[in-house]
Amino acid sequence: AKTINIALVGNPNCGKTSLFNIASGAHEHVGNYSGVTVDAKKGYFNYKGYHFNIYDLPGTYSLSAYTPEEIYVRHHLSEEMPDVIVNVVVASNLERNLYLTTELIDMDISMVIALNMYDELEDSGNTLDYNTLGKMIGVPMVPTVSKNGKGIDKLFDTIINVYENQEPTVRHIHINHGPIIEEGITVLKNELKTDPRILKHFSPRYLAIKLLEGDKEIEILLHKEQNYDKWIAIRDKERIKIEKTLGEDVESAIANEKYGFISGALKETLTLGNKETARTT
Ligand code: GDP
Ligand code: MG
Ligand code: K
């Protein structure tokens, strides 16, 4: 059987562990393999002739390096290099949950979104055109209720399709951060691209964005490279340009562009119902 390594990535309390438990089942082997600081589990199961290794990773709101959870998740993604990421999001709280998604898109790893707690979205009376949203972000979205297993087969069918490059929704898009930031990303990316050694674990675009943001972990990772001083000089120049032009620090500017992209996409795909009516009928 072919083996597919998958990692569950999402905010705290989005239903990752519920999904993990349903998928790996009570009969399969589950082991804690994490260190002391964060909670993570690995499980195994077989489905449609595939052998899945599934990692339940700690909950995170972003992929920076400010908390042990963020560092752990990023380290897992860059070192274990899962075949497919399952980004678990709360369907009724996409504005917030999709921020992490935009960072995963920057990393350019194959991905499926589990639109979890879909029952709560339906109860709210709101409707989401998730097929269109999935096409807009280039990532297939599957509604799930990981509390009871609804949608889980469809989720794993989609993971298999993504793994086999047979999923039409998949597109390698990038989030547009506006002309000034994109220029900085492009200049840095083109420099980083000439050093294949560092691109084994991270996409050049992700490294460029994180360098612009001043990510200390990424700086430490790149520090021993021959061209490091040159990259940092270019980075500093681009940072000053961005801060002067946009009038805010680079990290905020990048975050604002990401939130702008999300709210634009949701404006086109999320229709608010009348919650009060939905409750009383
Ligand atoms: P984690 O922190 O991402 O691992 O989230 P958990 O799996 O621990 O779930 C957090 C809470 O959400 C638990 O109380 C679950 O029972 C509940 N939950 C998980 N999935 C769903 C779902 O699809 N719908 C609803 N309504 N609740 C869910
Ligand atoms: Mg959990
Ligand atoms: K809940």
Side-chain angles (χ1 to χ4, degrees):
K2 287 186 193 169
T3 296
I4 306 182
N5 292 305
I6 63 180
L8 304 181
V9 181
N11 291 5
N13 288 315
C14 64
K16 292 178 300 300
T17 299
S18 308
L19 201 159
F20 175 89
N21 288 339
I22 279 222
S24 58
H27 311 295
E28 308 286 340
H29 175 76
V30 173
N32 285 299
Y33 75 108
S34 62
V36 280
T37 50
V38 301
D39 181 37
K41 285 193 294 297
K42 180 184 183 184
Y44 315 90
F45 70 104
N46 298 307
Y47 176 72
K48 292 196 173 169
Y50 291 86
H51 178 75
F52 288 90
N53 291 324
I54 177 168
Y55 291 87
D56 180 18
L57 299 181
T60 51
Y61 295 106
S62 105
L63 285 179
S64 306
Y66 292 120
T67 68
E69 288 79 11
E70 288 171 353
I71 291 168
Y72 188 95
V73 171
R74 189 160 77 181
H75 192 259
H76 181 92
L77 298 181
S78 62
E79 296 301 317
E80 300 292 327
M81 291 189 277
D83 298 306
V84 182
I85 293 174
V86 176
N87 177 207
V88 185
V89 300
V90 176
S92 55
N93 190 7
L94 291 174
E95 195 89 43
R96 180 174 197 178
N97 279 246
L98 289 179
Y99 186 81
L100 179 62
T101 309
T102 63
E103 293 201 307
L104 292 168
I105 289 171
D106 292 336
M107 290 187 97
D108 204 18
I109 307 176
S110 292
M111 177 157 65
V112 175
I113 292 176
L115 211 46
N116 197 41
M117 304 198 187
Y118 201 73
D119 54 328
E120 291 189 351
L121 177 76
E122 286 179 323
D123 288 347
S124 75
N126 299 342
T127 52
L128 178 72
D129 181 358
Y130 57 83
N131 285 319
T132 299
L133 181 59
K135 279 180 195 145
M136 287 172 81
I137 64 175
V139 183
M141 296 185 125
V142 182
T144 58
V145 182
S146 68
K147 215 172 50 169
N148 63 20
K150 224 173 142 185
I152 303 295
D153 282 0
K154 177 78 198 295
L155 178 68
F156 280 89
D157 291 341
T158 307
I159 292 168
I160 292 169
N161 287 347
V162 167
Y163 179 79
E164 298 290 2
N165 294 315
Q166 283 171 357
E167 176 57 47
T169 314
V170 173
R171 281 192 304 138
H172 294 274
I173 66 142
H174 66 249
I175 308 296
N176 190 331
H177 297 82
I180 303 296
I181 295 170
E182 286 299 327
E183 193 186 302
I185 294 172
T186 303
V187 170
L188 267 174
K189 206 179 72 176
N190 289 340
E191 292 291 331
L192 295 164
K193 260 200 219 156
T194 62
D195 194 334
R197 233 159 57 89
I198 62 167
L199 303 178
K200 222 176 92 190
H201 301 288
F202 291 105
S203 75
R205 184 172 171 83
Y206 183 80
L207 288 175
I209 292 170
K210 289 297 156 189
L211 274 185
L212 281 177
E213 287 179 340
D215 190 307
K216 292 285 170 277
E217 285 268 320
I218 294 295
E219 287 176 10
I220 291 165
L221 177 82
L222 300 181
H223 195 256
K224 44 194 177 311
E225 300 303 318
Q226 199 187 330
N227 292 320
Y228 180 74
D229 290 344
K230 185 182 166 198
W231 297 337
I232 292 301
I234 294 169
R235 189 278 304 272
D236 290 345
K237 211 176 109 202
E238 293 299 323
R239 269 175 76 94
I240 289 167
K241 209 160 76 188
I242 292 167
E243 287 176 357
K244 266 198 182 145
T245 313
L246 299 180
E248 60 186 339
D249 67 273
V250 178
E251 262 194 291
S252 309
I254 289 175
N256 287 338
E257 291 293 339
K258 283 180 151 69
Y259 278 117
F261 172 86
I262 294 164
S263 83
L266 290 179
K267 247 180 214 127
E268 292 185 36
T269 54
L270 181 65
T271 310
L272 300 182
N274 188 328
K275 199 170 181 174
E276 294 314 308
T277 311
R279 274 214 188 111
T280 49
T281 47

